[in-house]
Amino acid sequence: MNRTGRSGRGVPALRVAALAALIAVLLFMVSWRVRSVHAAAPQTGAILGYASPVELLFSPDGARLYVLCQDSGEVRVLNATTYAPIKTIAVGHVPRGFFLSSNGSRLFVANSWDDTISVIDTRALKVVDTWHVGMEPSSVVEGPAGKYLYVANRISNDVAVLNARNGAEVKRLAAGRGASYMTLSPNRSRLYVTHVYPNPTPSRTPPESEVTVIDTATAEVVNRIPLHSIAGVFHLAFTADGRLGVVAELYPKNLVPMTQVEHGWIFEDTLTLFGPDVGNKTVEVPLDDLDSFAARPFGVAITPDNSRIYVSCGGSELVTVISLPHLLRYVHTHRAPIVYNLAASGHYVINRIPVGHDPRGVALSPHWRRLLVANRLDDTISVIDTHTNKIVSTIHLAGSKNLWSLHFGLQMFAAMTVSSPGKRRCAACHIDARHRNAKRMNLSGIKEAQALRRGQQAFYSTRYSFHGGDACANCHIDSTFDGLQWDFEPDGLGRNIVDVMELEDIRDTAPYDWSGVNPNLPTQCGPRTELFMWRSQNYGVRTLADITAYINSLPPRPNRWHLPGGKLTPAQERGQEIFDRTADDFGKPIPLTNRCNFCHSGPLGTDHKKFDVGTKGRHDDSGLFVTPSLADIALTAPYLHNGKAATLEEIWTIYNPHDQHGRTNDLTKDQLNDLIDYLRTR
Amino acid sequence: MRGVFNKIWLAAAFAAVAAPAFAAAPQPPRMPHYRFVNYTTANGLPNNHVYSVLVDGSRIWAGTDDGLAEYENGKWKTYTTKDGLAQQAVLSLALDKRTGDVWVGTMGGLNRISGGRIIATYTQLNSGLSNDIVYGVSVEGENVWVATAAGACRLNLNTGQWSIYTDSNTPMKEIWVYGVSAAPDKVYFAVWGSGLIEYNQQTKLWDIYEDPDHQLEIVLFKNQGLIHDIVSSVSYVDKIVWVATYFGDSRYDGRYWHNFLTKDSGLPSNFTNYVKGVDANRAWFCTDKGLAYYDGANWAVYTPSLTTGKPEMWVRDAQGHVTHIPVTTAPANNYMLGIDFQGRDIWVATAGGLSHGIFEPQP
């Protein structure tokens, strides 16, 4: 009986599971047939199969929710009430920002790795035009009356002003370094631009960032609000009356050794307030608490009644909720600088809502009953009730995680449904072309994709560090660099200060660290990072493997400096000849070890060896440094191991007096320009 | 009765004879009159040596020997090296009319001002700038053209790439570039000792215009070419090139040259520091002996007297008749270095201060 009974219970369960799997497969096949989504070629910059939502927008009538998915290169269109998918629209590579025209008829998408803007007709829900813009467009905003379209270009550090009708570039306005996010003032008379990298400053001085202010009537820069000591600025939001601007940002403590744990330790996570409500000055306030951080604030939303500020904190995987009246009261009753007082946040932070991995963009629903949060590395959107400040549902966007489930016929509904109280809706029919590509992956491919996603999550999460303070992504913003120099204390306080390296293209450039002390990435990212940065715990074996796999997976960034097809301009060709030359301008042979292409050899431009190029400073223990890769060198100022050289030119005009860093002192100025032009193409 | 008739006859005869005589003393041509208001260290200017001036709407920029002065709403503000100015002596200024940015050429590099702040400093050490002494700057489209003491160069604002132009890759024989004027079709360089250099933006070809008699301080070939190879300034407007040299000035329409010397024009001196064309027919010349305006036929000169310092203005018509106009104000100094226009007003950089010439309509 018992055996029969057990068997009797087991068989129906097996049947249910099999039936569920069958239904899932059938649904998938049906969706494959009926969906007509344009397939895009697998892209660099994307981890195949993941959506990675980064920004959210509601349509003006509140009927639709647009979700910008970075890794899959799509805009997902959902029903704003039920969150049921309506359509998926393929856009360009690594889209980073989007904007709805004032009447909602056009959706503009900034495709950062394509250097294009996709124009989507929101009636037809299809891309109707693609416009070429500057280097790495990261956000786009339509100005008043639909005359101009503004595009923030992260690499060219400017804001392109386009004719909003046809995309023709009218001009470019100089912004700060790493121009990335833009916000219109409520009356649309001003456009505010923020930047992920700090502006250049002299070596060992505090970083300086800015908010660039553009007059939308004249399309000219009319102000630059300085953000002192800030490096890494993200979204900005205004109160509905425009009397207060709120900027999400990072306050690095890179001028003191990392033993300095007071006042926010390595990074403090802060907001800068500006506008009439704070006396028309800038006031920086902490988001962190005494023993926990609100790491990497990114998205900001303010309720129209000026009661609350919501800030997504990517590293801490939460949304910080601030009482705006309490914040203003605190600011008005306390002397600056408030930012050093981590007890301050207890006076105005009223909630911290855990959400998913790396929450980015936030959007308030039209009647601001809901706050939606794009959890980039979970492929989910958290829906928060703004009255209770609790998550009421989670929207799951299809991704490889789901394919993995599908592969085994398990967890199909759990993973691919929009789950909310009383609602369960299968999302299987919304698997798109890229997921089909992922579906074609074999099991090992899916496992690899999942490992990469786990590594990416660990890379961006602060959960491993002391008090959840920082993560790899704090210094390597969006897996790149931060433009800062840091003092790691194991070699003595104030000694061996080093510049943060660009992380993309770091694969195959071992040994790591400027000193070359770490023979491989697991050593670099594991014991070193755990001991000197996280301090509280180490990575598990699998996590470390995942992180290194993720870093190794980072694809090379498109190079914008050479001609199409990789061809060189005449100046770059002349520069290449100088790079490869064997004799100097006087016909004298250059010793082998003093030629550019000796150390900077191979496709990555490094021989992986240590060399003394005469840059040892009085605070350096040794003058031997690993030859850095030349990849993306145009982007990564400042230069040299300690960031002393503000520009590529200074490497040779100031810091190579004895020709130790290659034979260059014979070069004329135009020859040096040619050499630099060539190096930018590497 | 007969006596009365005779008187009438005599009067008529006198009138008939005298009329031509009166006609021979013609009225001077109507030339612009100004009331000059001068700014010096006494009223806010950081230094009286003003090398350059730029009108930017209601805002005036003055490049002085001791910083960049900004005048707006009756107040002066000075940018110094503490604010990021590359060097205190500001030689040249240019406005990017599209963006509103101001480019500042100094004795120690090039600055960019945007949104009320100096946002970039380019030197020969930290950038591709050919030399730190920036005599001239001109913005056209996405390119900033720079005249320096060691060649000309171009910065592409979209790519950040620099190109250098010297005797090695252009026809210029000297590399002391004193001025630049850029337009969508052509860019002109004033090269000290090497005449006028032209760059055609469409064909990417270079050309050179030199004095046919080559640096002789006499003019053998009037109107057959550039007046002299020591070129100090150039202004390209309405497809006409206005050229200033230390030995006279020239106008070139692409085919014909017209030269101006003190002996046959209204120029107060052949030593011209700066020229700025208003259009194809009109131009202003900043000389060491006063400010001259040419309207295509007639000349007017504005200066303090070289001997007494008293305000002077004279007009020379197309026939060479000179008329002195009584005035009560004059520019701050006779040594003129730059000019810009603010509607019908003029702003003049002189060695003794900045002068605002307020246009005064004449009845």
Side-chain angles (χ1 to χ4, degrees):
Chain A
M1 279 296 288
N2 285 343
R3 189 168 61 237
T4 307
R6 279 196 299 272
S7 175
R9 284 191 298 273
V11 169
L14 195 61
R15 283 179 180 164
V16 168
L19 184 61
L22 182 62
I23 291 170
V25 170
L26 286 172
L27 282 170
F28 181 78
M29 293 176 69
V30 167
S31 73
W32 196 333
R33 284 172 172 274
V34 300
R35 299 293 295 170
S36 58
V37 179
H38 297 290
Q43 62 188 45
T44 53
I47 294 177
L48 202 60
Y50 288 107
S52 305
V54 285
E55 299 288 352
L56 306 167
L57 279 175
F58 283 96
S59 60
D61 62 3
R64 287 177 181 166
L65 173 67
Y66 298 99
V67 184
L68 185 62
C69 298
Q70 193 166 75
D71 282 352
S72 57
E74 303 162 335
V75 173
R76 305 275 181 99
V77 188
L78 309 182
N79 181 305
T81 306
T82 65
Y83 308 125
I86 296 171
K87 190 167 182 181
T88 296
I89 306 164
V91 290
H93 290 180
V94 195
R96 194 173 276 148
F98 65 170
F99 191 85
L100 265 173
S101 61
S102 54
N103 61 7
S105 65
R106 293 194 295 176
L107 180 66
F108 303 101
V109 183
N111 305 307
S112 65
W113 280 34
D114 278 350
D115 297 347
T116 61
I117 300 294
S118 295
V119 184
I120 294 173
D121 182 325
T122 55
R123 284 181 289 272
L125 287 181
K126 66 178 184 181
V127 174
V128 293
D129 217 336
T130 302
W131 298 335
H132 288 271
V133 288
M135 298 181 191
E136 203 162 309
S138 295
S139 63
V140 54
V141 166
E142 187 188 61
K147 183 180 180 185
Y148 292 131
L149 199 68
Y150 297 87
V151 181
N153 297 314
R154 181 174 286 191
I155 287 180
S156 47
N157 307 321
D158 51 33
V159 173
V161 182
L162 311 184
N163 181 320
R165 284 187 295 108
N166 55 23
E169 185 169 306
V170 178
K171 57 183 170 181
R172 287 197 201 178
L173 307 175
R177 189 178 184 199
S180 293
Y181 302 103
M182 298 189 289
T183 304
L184 277 171
S185 59
N187 65 7
R188 302 169 72 85
S189 67
R190 294 284 189 273
L191 180 65
Y192 292 77
V193 188
T194 59
H195 311 80
V196 296
Y197 302 128
N199 288 335
T201 50
S203 177
R204 302 305 289 162
T205 59
E208 292 283 338
S209 292
E210 69 175 56
V211 177
T212 311
V213 185
I214 296 170
D215 182 334
T216 55
T218 61
E220 290 182 4
V221 175
V222 291
N223 195 9
R224 295 173 189 271
I225 302 171
L227 301 174
H228 301 301
S229 299
I230 297 301
V233 188
F234 304 96
H235 275 293
L236 182 157
F238 282 97
T239 52
D241 56 11
R243 293 181 54 82
L244 181 71
V246 179
V247 188
E249 64 199 13
L250 294 175
Y251 176 7
K253 311 293 177 59
N254 65 312
L255 295 182
V256 293
M258 287 189 178
T259 51
Q260 172 66 39
V261 297
E262 298 285 329
H263 307 307
W265 199 30
I266 300 174
F267 281 95
E268 196 171 334
D269 305 287
T270 66
L271 301 177
T272 283
L273 315 177
F274 65 95
D277 277 354
V278 289
N280 283 316
K281 56 188 179 183
T282 56
V283 179
E284 193 183 357
V285 296
L287 283 174
D288 301 329
D289 210 339
L290 283 169
D291 57 359
S292 67
F293 286 76
R296 285 206 322 280
F298 181 86
V300 185
I302 304 175
T303 54
D305 66 346
N306 288 0
S307 65
R308 291 175 195 179
I309 304 173
Y310 293 92
V311 183
S312 66
C313 299
S316 299
E317 300 156 33
L318 53 79
V319 169
T320 300
V321 189
I322 294 169
S323 163
L324 182 49
H326 284 87
L327 174 64
L328 291 178
R329 192 175 309 137
Y330 189 87
V331 166
H332 291 143
T333 54
H334 289 75
R335 283 185 179 178
I338 295 169
V339 69
Y340 299 123
N341 180 9
L342 294 192
S345 64
H347 294 268
Y348 45 80
V349 172
I350 56 175
N351 211 333
R352 298 186 194 273
I353 309 167
V355 289
H357 274 105
D358 196 23
R360 293 282 182 124
V362 293
L364 282 165
S365 61
H367 300 291
W368 46 284
R369 291 184 193 134
R370 300 277 191 271
L371 177 81
L372 272 63
V373 185
N375 301 311
R376 183 172 76 104
L377 300 181
D378 273 346
D379 284 353
T380 63
I381 297 168
S382 296
V383 182
I384 296 171
D385 183 316
T386 54
H387 294 298
T388 63
N389 285 329
K390 290 183 176 166
I391 293 177
V392 291
S393 65
T394 301
I395 306 166
H396 293 268
L397 304 168
S400 283
K401 176 180 171 184
N402 314 107
L403 292 170
W404 171 254
S405 306
L406 181 67
H407 187 86
F408 287 95
L410 296 171
Q411 303 174 3
M412 178 66 187
F413 287 90
M416 303 189 71
T417 56
V418 177
S419 58
S420 59
K423 294 178 182 176
R424 293 186 69 81
R425 185 179 297 271
C426 180
C429 58
H430 305 292
I431 295 170
D432 73 355
R434 282 192 180 78
H435 304 141
R436 275 183 253 151
N437 289 335
K439 176 69 171 63
R440 294 190 190 103
M441 288 194 300
N442 58 25
L443 186 59
S444 64
I446 293 173
K447 279 184 175 176
E448 184 184 344
Q450 290 189 310
L452 294 180
R453 174 47 60 108
R454 287 196 307 271
Q456 195 176 19
Q457 289 171 341
F459 184 91
Y460 282 87
S461 175
T462 60
R463 63 178 63 178
Y464 303 96
S465 69
F466 174 71
H467 286 182
D470 64 330
C472 310
N474 274 48
C475 291
H476 298 286
I477 292 174
D478 286 338
S479 304
T480 60
F481 60 100
D482 62 0
L484 299 177
Q485 298 77 51
W486 292 87
D487 179 8
F488 299 97
E489 75 280 10
D491 40 26
L493 303 186
R495 299 198 61 77
N496 301 313
I497 291 157
V498 290
D499 185 55
V500 172
M501 284 187 172
E502 151 75 307
L503 211 58
E504 294 165 331
D505 309 308
I506 207 166
R507 174 181 50 196
D508 299 332
T509 62
Y512 296 103
D513 192 290
W514 280 98
S515 66
V517 69
N518 298 319
N520 50 43
L521 271 181
T523 310
Q524 170 82 5
C525 301
R528 165 189 165 275
T529 306
E530 292 157 355
L531 181 61
F532 302 119
M533 294 186 191
W534 304 160
R535 294 171 187 271
S536 56
Q537 67 179 85
N538 62 345
Y539 294 129
V541 173
R542 191 176 84 157
T543 302
L544 182 56
D546 291 343
I547 286 178
T548 54
Y550 166 67
I551 294 171
N552 276 324
S553 77
L554 291 170
R557 181 170 296 242
N559 188 296
R560 276 87 169 181
W561 276 267
H562 53 55
L563 297 172
K567 291 182 180 175
L568 303 181
T569 66
Q572 290 163 350
E573 286 176 347
R574 292 194 300 270
Q576 187 175 27
E577 287 175 14
I578 294 168
F579 186 84
D580 293 328
R581 69 183 181 156
T582 57
D584 68 13
D585 276 5
F586 305 106
K588 188 178 174 185
I590 301 173
L592 186 66
T593 56
N594 216 21
R595 300 173 189 168
C596 303
N597 64 5
F598 179 76
C599 295
H600 293 288
S601 57
L604 294 172
T606 174
D607 61 356
H608 310 274
K609 292 188 172 69
K610 290 195 273 190
F611 208 82
D612 184 352
V613 293
T615 56
K616 180 178 181 295
R618 62 192 176 100
H619 298 300
D620 294 319
D621 291 339
S622 167
L624 290 170
F625 300 104
V626 173
T627 306
S629 162
L630 293 179
D632 283 339
I633 197 169
L635 314 177
T636 58
Y639 301 100
L640 299 178
H641 71 281
N642 52 10
K644 283 272 188 185
T647 62
L648 284 170
E649 285 84 355
E650 284 190 356
I651 294 173
W652 297 286
T653 59
I654 296 177
Y655 297 105
N656 191 32
H658 306 298
D659 276 342
Q660 282 177 270
H661 198 159
R663 170 73 168 131
T664 56
N665 285 320
D666 62 316
L667 296 176
T668 61
K669 184 66 180 163
D670 46 348
Q671 285 179 305
L672 183 59
N673 282 4
D674 290 342
L675 175 63
I676 289 169
D677 261 0
Y678 168 67
L679 292 175
R680 289 192 176 115
T681 67
R682 294 297 303 262
Chain B
M1 184 64 188
R2 184 174 178 178
V4 172
F5 180 81
N6 284 343
K7 284 179 182 176
I8 292 171
W9 184 89
L10 282 171
F14 176 78
V17 171
F22 284 116
Q27 289 295 312
R30 290 173 65 87
M31 300 298 273
H33 285 232
Y34 297 97
R35 177 173 60 85
F36 286 95
V37 175
N38 297 322
Y39 297 93
T40 65
T41 53
N43 50 5
L45 204 63
N47 192 291
N48 288 344
H49 291 106
V50 185
Y51 295 113
S52 52
V53 62
L54 173 71
V55 173
D56 174 12
S58 61
R59 186 182 300 135
I60 308 299
W61 300 89
T64 81
D65 205 23
D66 202 14
L68 174 64
E70 176 191 5
Y71 182 71
E72 188 170 30
N73 298 325
K75 292 181 181 174
W76 287 97
K77 173 185 175 184
T78 302
Y79 293 79
T80 69
T81 51
K82 289 179 181 174
D83 302 301
L85 198 65
Q87 217 271 353
Q88 62 187 20
V90 177
L91 304 180
S92 52
L93 295 162
L95 176 68
D96 186 338
K97 290 179 180 172
R98 300 176 314 154
T99 64
D101 291 358
V102 175
W103 290 83
V104 185
T106 79
M107 289 284 276
L110 177 70
N111 286 115
R112 182 182 193 176
I113 295 179
S114 174
R117 294 177 192 276
I118 294 174
I119 63 164
T121 300
Y122 303 95
T123 70
Q124 62 191 49
L125 294 183
N126 75 6
S127 74
L129 183 68
S130 52
N131 189 272
D132 281 352
I133 299 176
V134 180
Y135 288 120
V137 58
S138 182
V139 185
E140 191 282 308
E142 65 192 44
N143 293 315
V144 178
W145 296 86
V146 191
T148 81
C153 51
R154 179 184 67 181
L155 168 63
N156 183 303
L157 293 172
N158 287 356
T159 65
Q161 290 171 310
W162 289 87
S163 304
I164 291 181
Y165 306 106
T166 63
D167 54 341
S168 68
N169 57 355
T170 77
M172 68 176 73
K173 295 166 183 169
E174 300 284 346
I175 58 172
W176 212 356
V177 185
Y178 260 38
V180 58
S181 183
D185 58 339
K186 291 176 182 174
V187 183
Y188 286 94
F189 301 93
V191 186
W192 200 99
S194 188
L196 179 71
I197 303 293
E198 175 190 279
Y199 176 68
N200 187 312
Q201 300 228 56
Q202 276 76 49
T203 64
K204 314 292 183 196
L205 297 176
W206 292 85
D207 210 343
I208 184 169
Y209 301 96
E210 297 173 285
D211 178 3
D213 47 43
H214 285 295
Q215 298 190 28
L216 291 175
E217 295 180 14
I218 56 174
V219 176
L220 297 177
F221 309 110
K222 183 84 184 328
N223 293 341
Q224 291 185 6
L226 184 66
I227 192 74
H228 203 278
D229 286 339
I230 297 180
V231 179
S232 55
S233 177
V234 60
S235 176
Y236 181 51
V237 55
D238 289 352
K239 299 196 180 300
I240 297 296
V241 192
W242 298 90
V243 190
T245 83
Y246 285 171
F247 299 91
D249 303 313
S250 296
R251 176 185 182 275
Y252 180 54
D253 64 8
R255 184 169 183 183
Y256 298 108
W257 288 87
H258 186 90
N259 295 332
F260 306 102
L261 294 165
T262 52
K263 64 182 181 183
D264 54 13
S265 77
L267 275 176
S269 166
N270 288 332
F271 189 94
T272 309
N273 288 310
Y274 189 81
V275 62
K276 189 172 179 70
V278 179
D279 53 31
N281 299 311
R282 299 179 294 164
W284 289 83
F285 300 87
C286 298
T287 81
D288 63 337
K289 293 184 176 64
L291 174 68
Y293 170 66
Y294 175 60
D295 72 356
N298 310 295
W299 292 78
V301 174
Y302 313 83
T303 185
S305 165
L306 295 176
T307 53
T308 66
K310 291 182 178 176
E312 289 183 348
M313 174 184 174
W314 68 84
V315 172
R316 181 189 188 277
D317 67 15
Q319 286 72 43
H321 298 123
V322 176
T323 305
H324 285 267
I325 310 293
V327 289
T328 57
T329 62
N333 192 281
N334 56 276
Y335 199 89
M336 308 292 174
L337 287 156
I339 186 169
D340 204 0
F341 318 129
Q342 187 179 41
R344 300 176 83 175
D345 288 3
I346 56 173
W347 288 82
V348 190
T350 83
L354 179 70
S355 299
H356 179 194
I358 301 167
F359 181 79
E360 294 196 318
Q362 296 300 300

